[in-house]
Amino acid sequence: SVRRTADSMSHKRILVFENDSDAAELLKAQFARYDAAVEIVDDGNAGLDRARDERPDLILLCIELKRMNGFSVCNKIKKTDDLKDIPLIIMSKDATEETFDQHKRLRTRADDYIRKPFEFEELMEKIQPQVELEVIWGLVQIQQQEMAVVVVVVAVRFVYF
């Protein structure tokens, strides 16, 4: 498989349909490590417009939305020629596994499903087969080096003072 560089990652766009602003901001912060541009919408119709205008590389779709539920949004996306091939993962705090199983049988099903609450790593396990995202290693290495310096200073103080 082709490994993408950090430069190509800056072009990944993720559209997140989420009505819980805290959850949305947490996702946005987590994806910042991958240098992906994240746009948050809390309304199904507004999100459909955004998907048409700025075709994202990935859609994360919460079922519990204002005005139009996520299953209806998924149906519309998967029936739209320009959008149907965009990887789409449904997220829900209320849907049961049985509900997910029923939706998986539809022609207009999502590419994957995840129940809330979830750990970000669980979500990434579902995203990676759909869209290749890589951590920006330069940023992570700098943070690790800063942490190492702090640890050394603390250790020196502890030993010598």
Side-chain angles (χ1 to χ4, degrees):
S1 82
V2 176
R3 299 288 294 175
R4 289 174 170 53
T5 65
D7 287 342
S8 68
M9 290 311 307
S10 63
H11 301 294
K12 295 291 181 200
R13 288 188 311 277
I14 302 172
L15 180 60
V16 179
F17 290 73
E18 178 60 75
N19 65 354
D20 177 339
S21 60
D22 291 338
E25 288 305 314
L26 187 58
L27 282 172
K28 197 171 197 173
Q30 293 282 4
F31 281 115
R33 298 183 327 189
Y34 295 86
D35 198 26
V38 176
E39 182 172 357
I40 311 291
V41 292
D42 63 359
D43 175 88
N45 288 320
L48 284 169
D49 289 342
R50 293 304 301 150
R52 287 185 197 105
D53 294 344
E54 299 283 329
R55 191 178 191 281
D57 297 296
L58 172 68
I59 295 173
L60 300 178
L61 175 58
C62 176
I63 294 307
E64 300 82 21
L65 293 174
K66 301 173 187 173
R67 298 195 303 174
M68 183 190 315
N69 83 30
F71 289 124
S72 297
V73 173
C74 179
N75 184 45
K76 289 179 184 292
I77 289 171
K78 292 301 182 179
K79 283 185 172 179
T80 303
D81 286 339
D82 292 346
L83 304 177
K84 68 182 179 185
D85 294 328
I86 299 170
L88 187 151
I89 297 175
I90 284 183
M91 311 177 294
S92 177
K93 64 178 170 58
D94 296 335
T96 63
E97 287 303 318
E98 183 180 342
T99 305
F100 283 169
D101 288 341
Q102 289 172 357
H103 194 259
K104 288 175 187 176
R105 294 187 199 113
L106 301 176
R107 268 187 332 105
T108 56
R109 66 186 168 273
D111 296 284
D112 213 333
Y113 301 77
I114 190 167
R115 290 198 35 126
K116 296 177 183 178
F118 53 78
E119 295 293 324
F120 187 72
E121 290 72 25
E122 288 177 78
L123 179 61
M124 286 305 297
E125 286 173 14
K126 294 185 178 288
I127 290 173
Q128 287 292 13
Q130 313 292 333
V131 178
E132 190 174 344
L133 294 175
E134 292 181 8
V135 174
I136 310 162
W137 288 111
L139 178 62
V140 173
Q141 288 170 344
I142 289 168
Q143 290 172 344
Q144 287 174 341
Q145 288 170 356
E146 287 172 359
M147 214 175 343
V149 170
V150 170
V151 170
V152 169
V153 170
V154 170
V156 168
R157 280 193 176 158
F158 181 73
V159 173
Y160 292 107
F161 296 102

